[in-house]
Amino acid sequence: MSKIDTSLFSGQHSGPAEEACPACGKPLQLRHGKHGAFLGCSAYPGCDYLRPLKVIEHDEDVEKLLKGSTCPLCGHTLAIRKGRYGLFIGCSHYPECHYVADINDQGNSDPACPVCEKGHLVARTSRYGKRFYACDAYPGCRYIVNDKPVAKPCPECGFGILTERKGRLCCPKKGCGYQQ
């Protein structure tokens, strides 16, 4: 006696009744593409109708609504959302409003860039999810530092910032080995 249901492996399809293509009337077929399964017309080269099986809902990525906060662009409430690079704060009316704020930003003043002295070092996230700090005058200045910058000059070499690494302050300038 087998515990396997043989009807699962038969060639018979016991799913919902076949749907007709709204464009040409031929039956729709289940197809698979790089973005997942979809329904496509069986008369494909002549009729290119297709429909995704799963309707994309933008509310699926909402973790929590932030009561008492308003979007500066449209006035709706803000929400903590889950995205490709982790959590972020965005407008609850996403397709209409594209406001986004970083969840790690607590309103700290960013230190001035020690190289160009025009921009400020702002927190960025790489495509791999790692955090780094780069000058916001980007194409003109390409200064980047991996550790969190502190707006104190180095007492040894006079470089414009120090970085916070493992609980101590270090000078990010090459050749200067200052640590506090």
Side-chain angles (χ1 to χ4, degrees):
M1 181 153 131
S2 176
K3 293 183 181 180
I4 299 174
D5 186 10
T6 56
S7 67
L8 294 174
F9 299 101
S10 67
Q12 306 285 331
H13 178 63
S14 62
E18 287 187 2
E19 239 182 289
C21 174
C24 69
K26 301 265 183 171
L28 294 177
Q29 292 179 335
L30 180 66
R31 306 219 175 186
H32 300 282
K34 66 179 179 179
H35 298 294
F38 64 94
L39 290 174
C41 186
S42 59
Y44 166 59
C47 177
D48 59 354
Y49 175 80
L50 58 96
R51 183 181 78 217
L53 280 180
K54 181 181 175 191
V55 178
I56 298 171
E57 291 287 332
H58 293 289
D59 292 339
E60 289 178 358
D61 60 348
V62 173
E63 294 291 315
K64 181 180 178 184
L65 289 174
L66 299 173
K67 304 287 185 204
S69 62
T70 58
C71 175
L73 299 179
C74 68
H76 289 94
T77 58
L78 293 176
I80 297 177
R81 302 178 145 255
K82 187 173 19 176
R84 183 176 180 183
Y85 301 118
L87 297 175
F88 66 96
I89 297 173
C91 185
S92 58
H93 283 82
Y94 162 63
E96 293 84 29
C97 179
H98 292 278
Y99 176 75
V100 174
D102 190 0
I103 199 164
N104 297 321
D105 186 21
Q106 283 104 22
N108 298 339
S109 62
D110 300 321
C113 178
V115 176
C116 71
E117 298 175 356
K118 294 176 186 172
H120 294 280
L121 296 177
V122 294
R124 309 259 181 197
T125 305
S126 72
R127 62 179 157 176
Y128 303 111
K130 299 271 295 184
R131 195 152 200 68
F132 65 95
Y133 299 87
C135 183
D136 60 358
Y138 164 62
C141 178
R142 295 177 179 252
Y143 184 73
I144 294 174
V145 65
N146 289 326
D147 301 315
K148 185 175 180 177
V150 179
K152 290 183 183 176
C154 177
E156 284 188 15
C157 68
F159 194 64
I161 62 166
L162 293 174
T163 57
E164 190 177 315
R165 182 185 299 167
K166 296 181 182 175
R168 43 186 180 172
L169 295 175
C170 305
C171 181
K173 187 176 180 183
K174 291 182 182 176
C176 180
Y178 175 76
Q179 291 185 2
Q180 181 181 354

